[in-house]
Amino acid sequence: MKNTILSLRILYPLWAIVGMYSLLYVQGQLIHLNNPALTAQKIIENDFLFRTGIMGSLITQLLFVIIAWLLYKLFENVNKSASQWMVILAFVSIPITMLNEINQYAVLLNTGNITQMMFFINLHQFGMSIASIFWGLWLFPLGYLVYKSGYFPKWVGFALYIGGLGYLIAFIIKILFPSLKPILSYTELFTFGEVVWMLWLSIAGVKKSQAIA
């Protein structure tokens, strides 16, 4: 158990840093959905940066495999069924996200054709939205396990519920109500619950002295 906790406290922040680099930094620096010409120019001029974003996304998913399994080992004695659902939902998102990076590579193959390039960029955005269904769903069994385990404050479990809800609401808005996209930044604030959980686990660790509720 001690090795499991230590591994989680090391890998979880690493997973978050690499993920934010690919999803937020690289995408934020290079992708401008409302300006295709600028996007093409930036990707051509920063080819290596774009490629590191692809690599970072793939590494993130490989780390997620390990993290989900370690969390299963941590919580399997709390509720095995909930732990299994947590791992299943987490694992479903991994091949979706990794295969979606094909669209990113296709962008590199079409920088000479802005229309085609933007097609694959938008396809990648849609693929991320599909993966976000499971990024949200896996947080519900995880939140339940955090709440029931006694290893963490119960409010951290509720924060995970809110995080999961945030992902799902954002997906529904993107697919069914695109006219409401201006409020996405507010719904996505809910996903900060996942960040709260990660920070608590990484900094405070697991309180094994607490009794399982």
Side-chain angles (χ1 to χ4, degrees):
M1 179 69 75
K2 184 177 180 180
N3 290 336
T4 297
I5 296 168
L6 178 61
S7 297
L8 281 168
R9 296 182 74 177
I10 294 172
L11 292 177
Y12 229 129
L14 180 61
W15 170 75
I17 290 169
V18 177
M20 286 189 291
Y21 171 79
S22 298
L23 190 60
L24 299 181
Y25 178 74
V26 175
Q27 296 284 307
Q29 290 292 310
L30 304 181
I31 306 300
H32 302 272
L33 295 176
N34 296 323
N35 194 332
L38 179 61
T39 298
Q41 178 187 345
K42 287 199 168 187
I43 291 175
I44 292 170
E45 293 176 353
N46 299 276
D47 177 86
F48 183 73
L49 178 62
F50 190 79
R51 290 175 184 272
T52 63
I54 297 173
M55 180 63 73
S57 180
L58 297 175
I59 291 172
T60 300
Q61 299 312 306
L62 294 176
L63 288 173
F64 195 29
V65 173
I66 301 171
I67 288 168
W69 178 249
L70 290 172
L71 287 171
Y72 174 81
K73 299 301 292 182
L74 177 63
F75 290 118
E76 64 176 330
N77 292 328
V78 176
N79 187 306
K80 192 165 186 176
S81 178
S83 298
Q84 289 171 339
W85 273 110
M86 174 192 69
V87 171
I88 290 169
L89 293 169
F91 279 5
V92 169
S93 73
I94 293 170
I96 296 172
T97 307
M98 295 189 81
L99 284 172
N100 191 40
E101 289 307 300
I102 293 174
N103 291 312
Q104 290 282 75
Y105 191 74
V107 171
L108 293 174
L109 300 178
N110 288 276
T111 51
N113 185 325
I114 293 180
T115 301
Q116 281 288 94
M117 182 200 69
M118 292 306 298
F119 169 79
F120 286 111
I121 287 175
N122 283 297
L123 204 60
H124 179 261
Q125 295 284 323
F126 182 69
M128 296 293 282
S129 294
I130 294 174
S132 72
I133 298 172
F134 298 96
W135 295 345
L137 289 176
W138 92 290
L139 295 180
F140 290 105
L142 176 58
Y144 171 79
L145 291 164
V146 167
Y147 179 85
K148 292 292 290 184
S149 67
Y151 301 157
F152 308 93
K154 292 186 182 297
W155 64 264
V156 177
F158 282 112
L160 283 166
Y161 289 146
I162 294 171
L165 192 61
Y167 279 112
L168 296 180
I169 291 174
F171 170 77
I172 291 170
I173 289 174
K174 288 176 184 176
I175 301 303
L176 295 180
F177 307 104
S179 62
L180 298 180
K181 276 190 177 181
I183 71 170
L184 273 177
S185 57
Y186 298 103
T187 62
E188 289 174 351
L189 285 175
F190 293 169
T191 63
F192 190 71
E194 184 179 16
V195 178
V196 170
W197 147 249
M198 182 201 70
L199 291 174
W200 189 279
L201 174 62
S202 302
I203 298 171
V206 176
K207 296 185 177 181
K208 292 282 290 178
S209 60
Q210 293 179 339
I212 297 178

